[in-house]
Amino acid sequence: MQQSENIRFARNDRQLNIMPMGDINHTVTWNQGDEVVGLFDFPGRSKDDLPFQKGDLLVIVKSTTDPNWYKAKNSIGAEGMIPANYVKLRKVVSLHAMPWYHGKISRLDAERLLNPRETGLFLVRDSNNFVGDYTLCVCFQDRVEHYHIKYADNKLSIDNEEFFTTLEELVQHYKADADGLCTRLIRPVTKQGNNFVTVSMQDFQKGGWVINRSDLELGELIGKGDFGDVYKGFYKGQAIAAKVLKDQDRGNEQFMKEAALMTSLRHPNLVRLIGIVLSDTAILVTEFVGRGNLVEYLRTRGRNIITKKDQINFATDTCAAMDYLESKSLVHRDLAARNVLVHDDGTAKVSDFGLANIGGFNQTSSQKFPIKWTAPESLRNNIFTNKSDMWSFGILLWEIYSFGRVPYPRVPLSDVVMHVEKGYRMEAPEGCPVEIFAIMKQAWEMNPENRPRFSEVLSKLNHLRSVTV
C-alpha cells in the first residue's frame, strides 16, 4: 500500500501532522541514545521538525510529554522533532546455535552431504535462486527433497499456512510433525568446524540494519584484509567506511558474525556499525574514522607532533573500549594499534571485530594469530579470554609509547614465543612514564589470573590522564 493511501491526521499540542495509519499511539518508551531507522519519508511540517527519508538513521535525544513524538538528531548532528510511528527501533541481531544450517552451498553439495540416504536426515541452506530465502533439504527413502522456505513480512513459511519467526522455530515444528513434508525431520547433518553459531539474514532485516546498495557510494580503497577490502564512501551524504566481502563462499559466515556482534555494541570508543548491504556482495558499513589506524598515525607523526597528552588519551580511550567489551563478556582476540582508529577529534576507537569471541559461545579457529600480540596461553592452547586481551593491551601500550615501533624489535619472530615463555619481557620505550610501564608488566604476567582487569587499569589511566599536561 502506498504511503499516500495509508495516512491519517493526528493532532498534538504543537500542530497538525501526518501520521501513518495503524500504530497511532506509540506505547514503547525509547531512551536517549537509542538508534531508530526511518520507515517513511517525513518532510516535516514546522521549523521544530527534523525531516528525514525512509532508511535514514536517527538517534533519540530525549522523549517529550507526547509519547508519539521524540527529539532526535541525524547523521550530521541536526536536531528536531520526529513522529514515533515513522521510525522503528533498531534491534540487536542475535547469534543462534544452528548446527544444521550450512549457509551458502549448492543443491549438489547439499545432496552430497545427505549421505547415506537415511529418511529424516536434513539440513538447511541459503536459497540459490531467491536472496534472503532458504531451502530445507530432507532425505526420504533414496532421494532428497528440496523445500523452498520463503521469507516475507518478517515471517518464514514453506506452505503459506504455517508461519515462523525464526529458522529454529521452523525446524522444531517439523521435527515434531511432518505436517505436509515427505517426512518429519529426524537427524541433522551438522556443519563441520567453527560453524555451530550462526546468524540468519532475516534477523538483519527485522532488526533494521539492512541498507540499500543504491544509497551507497564507494570511493577510494583505504585498506585490505583477509576477508574484505575497505573503501571510503558515502551513505546518504554521511562519510562511511565500507568493508566489501571478497569471497562469498569463504568468508560470508564470519562476515555476518562480525556484523551481528557490532549490532550489540554502542560505546564512544568503538567503531559504530551503520548497516549492512545484503545483495550479491555483502558490504559492512561503519562510521568513517578520518585519521586512519593508530600505528600509522604514530609512525607518521612521531615525537615532534604527538604529545604525552595524546598518548595517554589513546591509551585511556582504548582501555575504556576494552572495559566495555569485558563488561559484556566479549573477547576481541586481535587487539593491536593497527586495529585502533583515530577520529578527526583525536578520539581512539577500537575496530575490527572479525575474530571476536561472540555471544559467550566457545569457538575454535584455524585463523593464524599475530604472534607478537597474542598471549602465550592463546598461542599454546587456543584459549582466548579477557585476560589474553589484557596481554595484547600491554603490547598496544608499548606501541603507543614507542611511537608505532614493531614489538620485540631485536627478537626474531620465530624466537618470540620461546623467549617470552622463558621470562623475557620488553624494556620500557624511551620516555615512557614509569606508571605506564608498570601496567605493561602487569599485563604480561605469565599466569593470566595475575593480570589486572580492564576496569582496574582504566581507573589508573583516568587518573594519569587527569594529571598529564
Side-chain angles (χ1 to χ4, degrees), residues 432-452:
C432 176
V434 293
E435 299 91 344
I436 295 294
F437 187 53
I439 293 172
M440 292 183 203
K441 289 189 290 186
Q442 288 180 312
W444 299 332
E445 286 281 352
M446 183 59 72
N447 184 346
E449 294 306 311
N450 293 336
R451 299 170 201 158

Side-chain angles (χ1 to χ4, degrees), residues 261-292:
L261 170 63
M262 293 186 74
T263 67
S264 71
L265 303 179
R266 188 175 300 156
H267 189 276
N269 298 116
L270 293 175
V271 172
R272 182 172 66 92
L273 177 68
I274 291 175
I276 185 168
V277 174
L278 295 176
S279 58
D280 292 339
T281 301
I283 304 175
L284 191 72
V285 181
T286 67
E287 64 176 313
F288 178 70
V289 185
R291 296 186 182 178

Side-chain angles (χ1 to χ4, degrees), residues 104 218 225-231 242-256 258 276-284:
K104 190 176 181 180
L218 299 186
D226 289 339
F227 293 111
D229 292 336
V230 183
Y231 296 84
K243 182 189 286 189
V244 180
L245 182 61
K246 288 180 181 177
D247 187 334
Q248 293 284 328
D249 295 325
R250 188 172 72 92
N252 186 67
E253 190 163 10
Q254 190 67 34
F255 206 74
M256 294 298 106
E258 179 178 2
I276 185 168
V277 174
L278 295 176
S279 58
D280 292 339
T281 301
I283 304 175
L284 191 72

Side-chain angles (χ1 to χ4, degrees), residues 153-164:
D153 299 323
N154 294 329
K155 296 290 184 181
L156 295 160
S157 182
I158 291 176
D159 56 10
N160 289 327
E161 294 181 3
E162 295 287 346
F163 294 90
F164 310 92

